[in-house]
């Protein structure tokens, strides 16, 4: 499997992805908002885009669909309940469904509600597992929930699904927010050594060459995985003094997401 990460350079800081079969050259395009860059990248490598996957229904992920389909005739894939929100879906996907790309690539669908209620992440298997996480999991952060989502559902997705993936899973999110997210981590947990070490390398960085993190690393510096950290809890109680001394993990997650909304 070949992963081509495309930095759009737009105001929303989107990443688009091309997933190619090295044997056939067939490609799955994930959230190809910048259809021109995606088409140019595929053409330069002699690839053929045959499928498009929208992780969810927001316009900054679906906005390139029409132009991409017109140019390639690709089939459109999305969450099985997203048909009313995404025009022209050819295949509705459920948890556990497999997307085949060419002869050698298989990706498993995960139903990951929270950012929206019709959100899909894709995972690969093998010696080097990969997660295409859309707007559910960001490098050092978590998706917002104020455009059709629910922080309680996002918490369940993190705890019941994402946290249980292999530790060496490489994370490919829908946006580049890593610098700001690390600054949020350090505002919540000032002594987080992993965040302190990584921040200088991404401060003012070129997202086109940005670091790709693993799930193991995320658990070290992503506040939304660090729900039992005494430091995180102590700092959280400064903002929410009504919290008990030992709040449950779900409460910590939801309150962190509330803080991040205005941070």
């Amino acid at each position: 499997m070949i992963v081509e990460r495309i930095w759009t350079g737009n105001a929303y800081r989107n990443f688009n992805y091309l997933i190619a079969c090295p044997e056939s050259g067939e490609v799955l395009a994930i959230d190809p908002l910048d259809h021109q860059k995606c088409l140019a990248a595929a053409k330069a490598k002699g690839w053929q885009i045959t499928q498009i996957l929208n992780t969810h229904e927001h316009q900054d992920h679906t906005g390139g669909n029409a132009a991409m389909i017109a140019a390639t005739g690709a089939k459109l894939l999305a969450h099985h309940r997203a048909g009313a929100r995404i025009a022209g879906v050819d295949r509705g996907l459920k948890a556990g469904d497999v997307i085949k790309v060419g002869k050698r690539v298989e990706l498993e669908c995960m139903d990951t509600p929270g950012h929206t209620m019709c959100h899909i992440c894709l995972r690969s298997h093998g010696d080097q597992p990969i997660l295409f996480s859309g707007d559910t999991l960001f490098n050092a952060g978590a998706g917002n929930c104020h455009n059709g989502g629910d922080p309680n559902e996002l918490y369940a997705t993190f705890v019941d699904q994402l946290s249980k993936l292999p530790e060496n899973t490489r994370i490919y999110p829908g946006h580049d927010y890593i610098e700001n997210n690390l600054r949020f981590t350090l505002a919540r947990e000032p002594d987080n050594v992993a965040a302190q070490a990584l921040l200088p390398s991404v401060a003012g960085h070129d997202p086109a060459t940005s670091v790709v993190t693993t799930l193991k690393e995320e658990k070290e510096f992503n506040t939304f995985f660090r729900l039992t950290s005494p430091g995180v809890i102590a700092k959280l109680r400064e903002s929410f003094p009504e919290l008990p001394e030992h709040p449950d993990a779900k409460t910590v997650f939801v309150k962190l997401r509330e803080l991040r909304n205005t941070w």
Side-chain angles (χ1 to χ4, degrees):
M1 181 174 73
I2 302 171
V3 178
E4 182 80 7
R5 182 178 64 178
I6 296 172
W7 167 239
T8 63
N10 66 6
Y12 297 106
R13 306 185 66 84
N14 288 81
F15 283 129
N16 299 167
Y17 296 97
L18 302 181
I19 314 305
C21 171
E23 186 172 338
S24 70
E26 293 174 67
V27 169
L28 169 73
I30 299 178
D31 294 334
L33 174 66
D34 194 326
H35 62 279
Q36 293 178 328
K37 285 186 178 179
C38 291
L39 289 168
K43 182 178 180 180
K45 295 181 180 295
W47 294 342
Q48 180 184 8
I49 297 172
T50 58
Q51 298 176 87
I52 297 167
L53 182 283
N54 289 149
T55 57
H56 61 291
E57 67 268 26
H58 290 161
Q59 181 66 21
D60 62 317
H61 293 257
T62 65
N65 287 355
M68 182 68 79
I69 291 169
T72 65
K75 299 297 184 182
L76 180 60
L77 289 62
H79 192 282
H80 68 102
R81 290 190 285 105
R85 302 174 180 88
I86 301 175
V89 175
D90 295 295
R91 180 184 176 190
L93 300 166
K94 297 182 179 180
D97 285 352
V98 173
I99 299 171
K100 295 183 179 181
V101 184
K103 298 179 180 180
R104 293 169 49 185
V105 177
E106 292 189 356
L107 298 165
E108 179 186 341
C109 297
M110 301 174 67
D111 191 338
T112 52
H115 176 64
T116 75
M117 302 311 291
C118 296
H119 193 292
I120 284 173
C121 292
L122 292 182
R123 60 176 298 209
S124 70
H125 301 278
D127 294 337
Q128 178 54 76
I130 291 173
L131 180 72
F132 299 98
S133 56
D135 285 8
T136 295
L137 170 62
F138 295 126
N139 299 130
N144 67 59
C145 303
H146 46 249
N147 288 300
D150 183 331
N152 298 290
E153 293 288 343
L154 188 62
Y155 165 77
T157 290
F158 264 64
V159 172
D160 297 336
Q161 297 193 68
L162 302 184
S163 67
K164 296 178 179 179
L165 295 175
E167 295 278 87
N168 64 335
T169 300
R170 291 165 63 87
I171 309 301
Y172 288 94
H175 298 265
D176 171 69
Y177 298 147
I178 189 168
E179 179 180 352
N180 205 32
N181 285 338
L182 286 171
R183 295 190 187 281
F184 179 74
T185 291
L186 291 171
R188 299 292 92 218
E189 195 177 13
D191 60 350
N192 186 300
V193 175
Q196 291 172 349
L198 183 56
L199 180 58
S201 67
V202 299
H205 73 305
D206 178 5
T209 58
S210 182
V211 63
V212 177
T213 65
T214 65
L215 182 61
K216 181 179 184 296
E217 291 168 331
E218 289 294 326
K219 289 179 179 180
E220 295 171 352
F221 53 63
N222 188 325
T223 311
F224 293 92
F225 282 118
R226 300 180 58 75
L227 307 178
T228 61
S229 164
V232 169
I233 292 171
K235 199 72 175 175
L236 192 64
R237 292 182 74 231
E238 292 180 11
S239 299
F240 301 99
E242 73 278 7
L243 290 179
E245 186 175 352
H246 301 290
D248 63 273
K250 183 176 181 180
T251 296
V252 174
F253 185 99
V254 171
K255 290 299 185 183
L256 285 170
R257 186 57 260 178
E258 183 178 335
L259 283 177
R260 185 65 178 84
N261 288 342
T262 57
W263 192 84

